[in-house]
Structures are given as structure tokens and as C-alpha cells.
Amino acid sequence: MYQSFIGLEVHIHLLTKTKVFCGCRSAFGDEPNTNVCPVCMGYPGVLPALNIEAMRMGCMVARALNCRIPPRTWFERKQYFYPDMPKNYQISQFASPLGQEGYLDLEDRGIRGGGRGESPKRVRIKECHLEEDAGKMIHTGTVSLLDYNRAGVSLLEIVTEPDMETGEDAEIFIQQLRRMVRYLGVCDGNMEEGSLRADANVSINLPGKGLGRKVEIKNLNSSRFVRLALNHEIVRQGERLDAGKTVVQETRLWNENRDQTEPMRTKENAQDYRYFPEPDLPVFEPDKAFLASVEAALVELPVPRMRRFETDFGLSPEQADLICDEKAQADYFEATVTAAVQRGMEKRDAAARLCNWLLTDIKHLLSREGLSPRDLPSFTLGPGRLAALAALVARGEVSLKNAREAAEAVLAEDKDPEIIIRERGWERIADPEKIAQTVNSVYTAEAAVFEEVRSAHTGGNTKRANTLTAYLVGKVLSASGGRADPGIVRSQVEALIAKPA
Ligand code: ADP
Ligand code: ZN
Ligand code: MG
């Protein structure tokens, strides 16, 4: 058996409104070559200027990844020639990146079987550096088209040490990082559109022999492909070593149609990028105010939040994972539980009911309205309204069925649930005399069934008797529009059965 080593280089597009060194709009999907200017097109004599928002967002990610922000950070020119990069060099960071020597503990979700481990696997972060993206090449038939809208867009590269061992580790790393940057609001995490891209490096060696000769797999645009490509590569490299061959140090690509990695180019020696300090940008020395603004922008991260939802609210790891998938949804959930507690519900009871409600009914309502969990902050059925409904159900004042209908009506009419319920007359009926009227009318209509229950009882056919009793209780409930208290209905129906006709 071999030991395997995996290191990732993840690029994320920062959600800055403008590009990293010029004022051009930074947006996906605009008309090609409309968001360009002399700076990002690399005209001679122009001056780049650092977008401070990009630096702030980069530092937020660095802090969330437990990195050190150095007192001085600067930019270098990375020279290479490629048509998607009009300047023929990329402004990047080399000697003093904005984030250094951090770590991310891989979340053991405990839902992949086997329960939660005691010590999570720690992946060291080598660095986070800020750079500019290149343009986009579109190859069609015999021509290649260039779109420079992406040239100069703020890109943060996160480089890990080779601390992961399996494709699964790398997949969890990416998913966790993705959720983290979305929580921070610095990246939309859209891998299909290329807002989050990963290069995966992998080598294998005999145990105790240290790192092997690495292969780099470029441009993986889904976390699943990261897992598949790495696991495929680990097997492929093992087969080579088993056969007495060596692994060629090269760059490979994942072919998703053939489920295998394929060579792209060999990379025997490190390419010489002739890095040198960017003369047109000053060294950046983060001052107290800047660092304070970074701290102020940090939020509770997804993993600690999930753990808190488990311990405070009694959610299962699976529930916490689903609720915390989206920050807006976790916020909505928490606000609703708080509002329900203010209405007298017990915290864990409220959390359990609302979790179910959120993951089923609310989810359906959202998708029916063409909304996503990210739209929850402006959802018509806000936390206060949902909490009010949950409290009414918990106190037995409204049936769950009516509460569900009320939720729909709140959405349709933008009114508070209490008003809807009063207007519809959906308050639960707990007055025994009112219920007795309905029970009596069912008694008249279903006299034969009542008689059949009695004879079933006398004949010792309990099963039949129970089935028919349930039927009668159901009749009364539906005759009351689902509003009569089921406990009272049942005892009245049973009393009538016990009474000889
Ligand atoms: P390069 O100079 O080829 O860019 P780096 O040292 O910058 O290499 O590392 C790039 C990525 O490759 C990092 O994520 C690192 O963890 C990973 N890496 C480096 N060496 C190995 C190796 N022998 N096996 C697996 N991963 C490696
Ligand atoms: Zn520009
Ligand atoms: Mg490198």
C-alpha cells in the first residue's frame, strides 16, 4: 500500500463590484469585451490601483482560514505569455501573500457513517494570495474568440499543504471552503460559472518515504470531479509503481466523459515566471482601522454554527447540515426559533418543529414562488409570522393542517397568520358542547356504523372495532373542517359507542 498526498490550489472570484486594479465592472455573463479599459487591457503607460475591497475580502478569507496577515504585503509580476492575458504578465503575490500559514479542520460530518471522530483532520493552509484573473478563450471550430471581461477580475488563490489523503478529503475541503466563502459573502461559490475553481496536486509514495512525484490536475469545476479525479489518479499512480515504472511529473486534465485523467503537458521543472515586485503598486501595510474592518466583517462560520445548532437546539447532525447549508436559511431558522420562544414555546421543541417545517413546507412554498433560501430575508412569511403559527399549533389552538393552509394564505395575502385564522374561522374548537353537536349529526348519519362497532365489540373483534372507531372520529373531524379537538372528539365518539342504542 502507498501513502498518498493531496494539495489543492483553489481560486475564488471575489464579489467586488469592480475589478482588482481598475474601475471596470466585474460581472459574469455581460456582453463580451464591454467591461474593459486601458488598465485591464494592458495598454502601455497606465497605472493599476488596488481595489481595497478585494484586499479586505481576501483578508477575511485568510482570517477565516486561521492565517496570519503579515504587517507588509505586496504584489509581484508573474511573467508568462498567453493570449488570454493582454499584459503578458499577471499581477499576483509571491513573497509576502496577504494570508500565511493557516489551517482548516476538515469537518467530520458524522453523516457519512461511522459517527463523529474525536480529532478532525487538519489541513494546513500555505497561503492566500490576491491576483487578477485572465480573460476567457472560446474555441469554436477554426477560430478562437477572446472575451476580456474577466481579465483583471479579483481572484483569491488559496494554497494548501499536501495534507489530504483521499479524494473524499479534498471533496469535503472544497465543499467546506465553498460554504465558508458564501457565508462570508465574498464569493458566490458557483463552480459551474467558474467562480470557484480547483487545481488538485497528488502524489503517492511508500509509507515513510515522504512526498512522491506530483501530478497536477487542472481546472476541476465540481467538487465531485475533484474526488473522482484524485481517486482515479491515486489508483493510476499505484499501478505504475507496482509495475516498476515511475510517475511522470505532469499536468493532467479530468475527462468527465471517460472518467479518467489524461495528460495535458509535462512539467518536469518549475516554470520560470521571473517574478519581480510590481513597481506600479505600493506595499500594502494594513493599519488598525483596516484590520478592525476585517474582523468586523467576519461572521460565525458554518461548522461552529452547525455544532451550536446541535447542542443548543438539539438538531441532529443531518438537520444542522441541511439548515446551515445557506447562511440566510440558518439566520431565518434561528430568528424563528427565538421568536417562538418569545411566544412561550420551549426552545428545543420549537427548534424541532420549525426545522421540519422549514425543510418541508417552507422549502416547497419557496420553490413554488420561484425563490431560493437566499431570498428568505425578504420572505413574506417572515420569522415572526412562522413562529406565531408554530406557537398556535403547539398550544393546540390550530390544527397542523389549518396552520399549513394559513402559511399559504399568509404568502398569498401578506397578512399576519392570526388575522388569516380568524377570518377563515380556523381556531380549534375545544368547546365540548359545540363538538357534541357535530358528533350527534355524524351519529345520525352513520347510525349503522355505530351499530357495527358495538357488535364488533360484543363479538370480540377488537381490530374491526378500532378501525371503525377511527373512521367515525375521522368523519367528525372532517365535518368540523379539521378544527375540532381530536381528543375530545374521540372520547365523545367512544361514549356514544358504549351507550346502548
Ligand atoms: P508548484 O511550484 O508546482 O506550483 P507548489 O509547491 O507551489 O508547487 O505547490 C502547489 C500545490 O501542490 C500545493 O497545494 C502543494 O500542497 C501541492 N504539492 C506540492 N508538492 C506535492 C507533492 N509532492 N505531492 C502532492 N502535492 C504536492
Ligand atoms: Zn479595466
Ligand atoms: Mg505554485
Side-chain angles (χ1 to χ4, degrees):
M1 266 312 276
Y2 300 100
Q3 214 174 341
S4 48
F5 302 91
I6 293 171
L8 296 175
E9 296 161 286
V10 185
H11 290 89
I12 63 168
H13 270 164
L14 297 176
L15 284 171
T16 49
K17 292 197 177 63
T18 53
K19 295 185 179 181
V20 58
F21 300 120
C22 66
C24 289
R25 209 169 105 83
S26 178
F28 178 84
D30 282 359
E31 186 69 18
N33 299 310
T34 50
N35 301 326
V36 291
C37 75
V39 176
C40 55
M41 292 302 284
Y43 285 21
V46 293
L47 276 181
L50 174 63
N51 180 341
I52 191 77
E53 275 315 309
M55 180 58 82
R56 192 181 342 269
M57 288 181 180
C59 288
M60 286 166 65
V61 176
R63 285 282 298 113
L65 291 171
N66 306 292
C67 287
R68 184 165 51 77
I69 296 173
R72 291 161 60 81
T73 173
W74 59 86
F75 294 87
E76 275 93 358
R77 288 187 184 179
K78 180 179 179 179
Q79 331 278 331
Y80 66 94
F81 177 77
Y82 207 66
D84 63 3
M85 206 180 51
K87 293 205 294 275
N88 292 335
Y89 61 83
Q90 177 193 32
I91 303 180
S92 182
Q93 296 197 288
F94 184 65
S96 184
L98 62 79
Q100 303 175 13
E101 294 172 321
Y103 62 87
L104 179 70
D105 287 331
L106 288 191
E107 177 212 351
D108 181 354
R109 294 196 188 155
I111 52 177
R112 290 166 187 265
R116 182 163 299 142
E118 314 76 50
S119 51
K121 191 178 281 185
R122 177 161 293 187
V123 178
R124 288 169 300 153
I125 307 294
K126 186 176 171 189
E127 63 177 64
C128 303
H129 62 253
L130 185 60
E131 58 190 27
E132 54 182 335
D133 204 350
K136 206 164 139 188
M137 288 231 266
I138 303 132
H139 306 286
T140 61
T142 54
V143 290
S144 288
L145 302 170
L146 278 157
D147 176 8
Y148 288 113
N149 281 355
R150 205 178 66 184
V153 163
S154 337
L155 203 61
L156 187 76
E157 177 169 346
I158 297 142
V159 185
T160 80
E161 297 289 353
D163 291 346
M164 287 161 277
E165 293 168 283
T166 61
E168 284 73 15
D169 284 351
E171 182 179 37
I172 292 178
F173 182 93
I174 305 254
Q175 289 174 347
Q176 203 171 321
L177 179 69
R178 179 175 179 275
R179 205 181 260 187
M180 175 188 277
V181 296
R182 284 163 60 86
Y183 263 58
L184 292 171
V186 300
C187 176
D188 65 22
N190 192 328
M191 292 188 82
E192 271 160 44
E193 291 181 358
S195 313
L196 192 157
R197 320 191 282 264
D199 299 338
N201 302 270
V202 53
S203 71
I204 65 167
N205 214 341
L206 290 167
K209 294 278 184 195
L211 298 172
R213 199 176 295 165
K214 77 166 181 175
V215 162
E216 179 176 14
I217 313 164
K218 276 241 172 259
N219 284 330
L220 295 158
N221 65 356
S222 93
S223 56
R224 195 173 71 90
F225 290 158
V226 169
R227 164 166 55 83
L228 294 173
L230 284 167
N231 286 342
H232 171 271
E233 191 56 26
I234 288 169
V235 171
R236 190 191 66 86
Q237 294 183 14
E239 284 167 359
R240 283 194 72 90
L241 296 192
D242 284 344
K245 298 179 187 161
T246 55
V247 174
V248 181
Q249 178 154 336
E250 63 184 349
T251 302
R252 296 177 75 88
L253 290 175
W254 174 245
N255 183 331
E256 59 179 273
N257 298 315
R258 304 181 65 181
D259 278 346
Q260 62 183 31
T261 64
E262 292 167 359
M264 176 184 163
R265 59 166 182 255
T266 53
K267 198 177 180 184
E268 286 289 353
N269 314 91
Q271 202 177 337
D272 185 2
Y273 292 117
R274 296 182 296 122
Y275 279 102
F276 71 84
E278 165 61 60
D280 291 339
L281 284 168
V283 168
F284 183 77
E285 299 184 29
D287 60 15
K288 270 201 178 123
F290 176 83
L291 292 172
S293 74
V294 170
E295 295 306 311
L298 294 176
V299 297
E300 185 182 26
L301 295 174
V303 174
R305 192 167 204 188
M306 283 188 273
R307 298 297 94 91
R308 185 166 63 77
F309 279 13
E310 288 170 41
T311 47
D312 272 18
F313 296 142
L315 298 192
S316 71
E318 295 87 335
Q319 289 173 322
D321 187 56
L322 290 168
I323 293 279
C324 291
D325 184 42
E326 195 76 59
K327 180 174 180 295
Q329 179 170 278
D331 290 345
Y332 178 89
F333 172 75
E334 196 161 5
T336 312
V337 174
T338 305
V341 168
Q342 281 162 3
R343 286 174 159 79
M345 286 183 79
E346 193 269 324
K347 189 167 71 178
R348 285 175 166 241
D349 176 46
R353 288 172 192 261
L354 288 166
C355 176
N356 283 334
W357 216 333
L358 195 48
L359 296 176
T360 54
D361 289 52
I362 303 297
K363 220 173 123 183
H364 288 142
L365 288 176
L366 277 174
S367 68
R368 212 185 56 191
E369 306 278 306
L371 302 171
S372 84
R374 293 162 81 177
D375 300 306
L376 279 169
S378 56
F379 195 39
T380 311
L381 181 60
R385 287 174 164 179
L386 183 59
L389 277 175
L392 289 170
V393 174
R395 284 201 301 269
E397 291 172 27
V398 174
S399 71
L400 187 57
K401 178 174 166 288
N402 283 154
R404 286 199 162 118
E405 290 166 345
E408 304 223 5
V410 168
L411 263 189
E413 297 168 30
D414 193 6
K415 286 182 190 161
D416 284 341
E418 291 90 342
I419 297 173
I420 301 270
I421 285 163
R422 210 178 314 128
E423 282 176 357
R424 304 280 204 284
W426 278 341
E427 301 96 338
R428 173 150 281 175
I429 305 165
D431 175 0
E433 282 188 18
K434 264 200 175 153
I435 292 177
Q437 287 171 16
T438 317
V439 172
N440 283 331
S441 67
V442 171
Y443 185 62
T444 319
E446 304 278 350
V449 180
F450 273 89
E451 203 41 57
E452 211 185 326
V453 186
R454 288 184 191 116
S455 49
H457 273 303
T458 348
N461 192 347
T462 320
K463 211 172 147 202
R464 178 83 184 137
N466 287 344
T467 312
L468 292 172
T469 308
Y471 165 83
L472 291 169
V473 169
K475 276 278 164 194
V476 178
L477 287 177
S478 68
S480 76
R483 292 171 53 212
D485 183 306
I488 302 177
V489 171
R490 170 165 285 275
S491 62
Q492 292 193 3
V493 167
E494 282 170 352
L496 274 181
I497 291 166
K499 205 171 77 179

